[in-house]
Amino acid sequence: MHLLTYELVEKLKAAYMSSEKWYSVRWHYIEGCILKAYLDSYEQTGSESDYIFVKSYIDQLFDSGGNIPEIQICSYNIDQIRMAGIMFTLYQRERDPKYKRIMDMLYQQLATYPRTSSGSFWHKENYPYQVWLDGLYMGQPFYVQYVKQFVEAKDYSDTLQQFENVRQYIYNHEKRLYSHAYDESRHIFWCDKSTGQSPNVWGRAVGWFAMALVDVLELLEGEPADTGILKAYIKELIDDMLPYQHSEGMWYQVVDKKEHPGNYLEASGTLMLAYAILKSARLGYLPKEYAVYGIQAFNGTIARYLREEEGEVLLGGICRSAGLGKKPETGQMRDGSLAYYFFAEQIVDNNGHGVAPLLMAYNEINRLGVNSDPDDIRETGIMI
């Protein structure tokens, strides 16, 4: 992989935070993921510009009374929890109570959050009894970190149970892959009436879940929790996904249907898996030699989809959005079919679903030293 391509990642990182062309100033999970990538970079390198970008963004969301009007505390939506994870670092450094107030408010909401009979948070109140893989990334890292930092009695059994529920109810044993989602009630039109599962394996959904596993595992280091089951899940997930990794290093939009017309190598899901693999290998949740698969995924994505046009760096191949059921904003009915995943959602450039995991994975690449001295990596047997 030519170092010029990594220079394009650096250029995109600098340009992306310099204007609001590719994202909005709002309380939203997509921007929460973007901010996490920059905050991880700050915590790794001490880059003040990364920190200032994150803090300035968050501070714009507060009103004069120290509240964030966009947060709908009466609405149960696991997506709105994701952004709250940014507040820990801001509060730790600034000690401004406005950050703690937001964390307290959203943590307290979890006490009344609706659940399935097995104890999992519903994805949203308008998707009752449904658990989607991405919901684990939206809610659990914040939940764990809040307990870790602010709750005297450390009990992580709720989080561990919710991950176990995903493995029990959303893992497809015939495919040996995770479905996108599950409806406990079996009432929604998209689900299998026997299993409750949605019909297909969406790459980004698997990526969200993989990131949830590794980030929660990292947070639980040294805590009173038996994380062996989570380590088994991340190893199983990656082992199940590796047979579907394309020779270029990427994964398809619908993971196990590469031969179907309309399927395509998708950037965001691939980059989420790259991040999860690289971080898991670094922290010992996967064998160190697995890092090569993460590097191949990262390099394969930027080789295919990262380009420069008229001085602007663009990351392509990103599925703009995908979900299940009726989309509240548009009324679109999303049935989880192959035709839906292939043709009903746009493929776009520089969307935060792709740029955020690109930058998260790049942080992990930099920890390996791949960018600064490729020969060191080659000598370990990890080829770039």
Side-chain angles (χ1 to χ4, degrees):
M1 177 57 59
H2 198 281
L3 288 183
L4 176 61
T5 314
Y6 285 175
E7 290 170 10
L8 287 183
V9 180
E10 289 280 0
K11 189 171 181 178
L12 176 59
K13 180 183 176 183
Y16 208 78
M17 66 176 173
S18 67
S19 78
E20 296 166 16
K21 178 175 181 179
W22 297 107
Y23 58 86
S24 304
V25 177
R26 57 179 178 167
W27 184 268
H28 195 278
Y29 77 89
I30 298 176
E31 281 74 11
C33 294
I34 295 166
L35 296 182
K36 180 190 183 298
Y38 285 94
L39 204 56
D40 286 353
S41 176
Y42 158 70
E43 292 174 343
Q44 182 176 324
T45 68
S47 168
E48 196 66 14
S49 62
D50 290 342
Y51 179 82
I52 291 169
F53 167 60
V54 173
K55 181 180 183 301
S56 299
Y57 182 103
I58 291 291
D59 286 347
Q60 291 179 74
L61 301 175
F62 283 92
D63 63 18
S64 58
N67 300 304
I68 297 180
E70 279 189 85
I71 297 176
Q72 303 295 315
I73 202 61
C74 295
S75 173
Y76 294 104
N77 176 348
I78 206 68
D79 286 349
Q80 77 170 347
I81 304 296
R82 177 68 247 175
M83 182 78 97
I86 301 300
M87 300 294 185
F88 293 104
T89 301
L90 297 181
Y91 180 65
Q92 183 177 11
R93 177 165 163 175
E94 306 296 334
R95 309 311 295 182
D96 188 327
K98 70 181 183 183
Y99 302 124
K100 178 68 159 50
R101 189 182 312 119
I102 298 299
M103 291 189 285
D104 291 345
M105 180 174 67
L106 288 169
Y107 175 74
Q108 288 160 12
Q109 190 201 45
L110 294 179
T112 58
Y113 201 99
R115 297 173 181 248
T116 65
S117 62
S118 59
S120 293
F121 295 139
W122 292 3
H123 192 64
K124 300 178 183 180
E125 61 188 341
N126 56 309
Y127 300 134
Y129 304 101
Q130 295 174 31
V131 181
W132 300 12
L133 289 183
D134 38 303
L136 280 290
Y137 187 70
M138 301 304 159
Q140 295 302 326
F142 169 79
Y143 189 12
V144 167
Q145 193 166 0
Y146 189 96
V147 171
K148 182 177 180 176
Q149 293 193 206
F150 300 124
V151 178
E152 189 172 347
K154 312 295 185 193
D155 183 355
Y156 302 104
S157 59
D158 188 8
T159 287
L160 294 174
Q161 184 61 54
Q162 294 199 44
F163 277 101
E164 290 182 42
N165 290 344
V166 168
R167 176 60 177 76
Q168 181 173 351
Y169 296 114
I170 309 184
Y171 187 77
N172 185 310
H173 289 272
E174 291 182 12
K175 296 180 180 179
R176 293 197 58 81
L177 295 167
Y178 284 91
S179 300
H180 185 168
Y182 152 82
D183 175 26
E184 179 185 62
S185 74
R186 312 292 200 275
H187 289 156
I188 195 67
F189 67 90
W190 49 255
C191 81
D192 180 287
K193 301 310 177 190
S194 173
T195 66
Q197 292 181 13
S198 60
N200 285 300
V201 180
W202 182 38
R204 186 157 80 220
V206 179
W208 285 125
F209 188 57
M211 294 202 303
L213 282 166
V214 67
D215 284 1
V216 165
L217 276 167
E218 181 184 39
L219 287 165
L220 289 176
E221 290 283 353
E223 294 296 298
D226 183 356
T227 58
I229 191 72
L230 301 189
K231 292 173 183 174
Y233 290 164
I234 189 65
K235 176 72 161 53
E236 176 187 61
L237 184 155
I238 300 305
D239 283 344
D240 287 345
M241 290 291 284
L242 286 178
Y244 298 98
Q245 190 174 23
H246 188 269
S247 59
E248 293 180 22
M250 297 188 70
W251 279 273
Y252 280 92
Q253 165 79 338
V254 176
V255 171
D256 58 336
K257 303 293 184 182
K258 66 179 182 179
E259 73 283 357
H260 279 253
N263 206 359
Y264 60 97
L265 295 169
E266 200 279 326
S268 67
T270 296
L271 290 165
M272 289 178 183
L273 288 164
Y275 166 79
I277 292 168
L278 288 165
K279 187 170 181 177
S280 294
R282 173 171 63 85
L283 295 175
Y285 313 139
L286 291 173
K288 289 197 184 309
E289 56 266 26
Y290 275 53
V292 68
Y293 305 120
I295 295 170
Q296 288 169 349
F298 183 81
N299 287 347
T301 305
I302 61 178
R304 174 175 277 263
Y305 285 127
L306 194 67
R307 67 195 191 279
E308 189 168 16
E309 292 182 1
E310 298 179 355
E312 183 171 41
V313 181
L314 301 171
L315 176 68
I318 304 166
C319 174
R320 183 178 180 273
S321 177
L324 294 160
K326 185 176 181 179
K327 189 171 185 175
E329 299 87 349
T330 64
Q332 175 190 15
M333 299 302 285
R334 303 169 296 182
D335 64 0
S337 66
L338 292 177
Y340 165 71
Y341 288 113
F342 296 164
F343 306 117
E345 298 290 358
Q346 291 178 282
I347 304 170
V348 296
D349 292 334
N350 277 12
N351 179 275
H353 286 108
V355 173
L358 173 79
L359 298 181
M360 290 183 206
Y362 186 55
N363 292 332
E364 291 296 326
I365 290 282
N366 283 332
R367 285 182 182 272
L368 284 172
V370 177
N371 197 17
S372 57
D373 193 350
D375 289 335
D376 290 347
I377 304 302
R378 291 194 182 94
E379 288 169 9
T380 69
I382 299 174
M383 298 301 295
I384 66 165

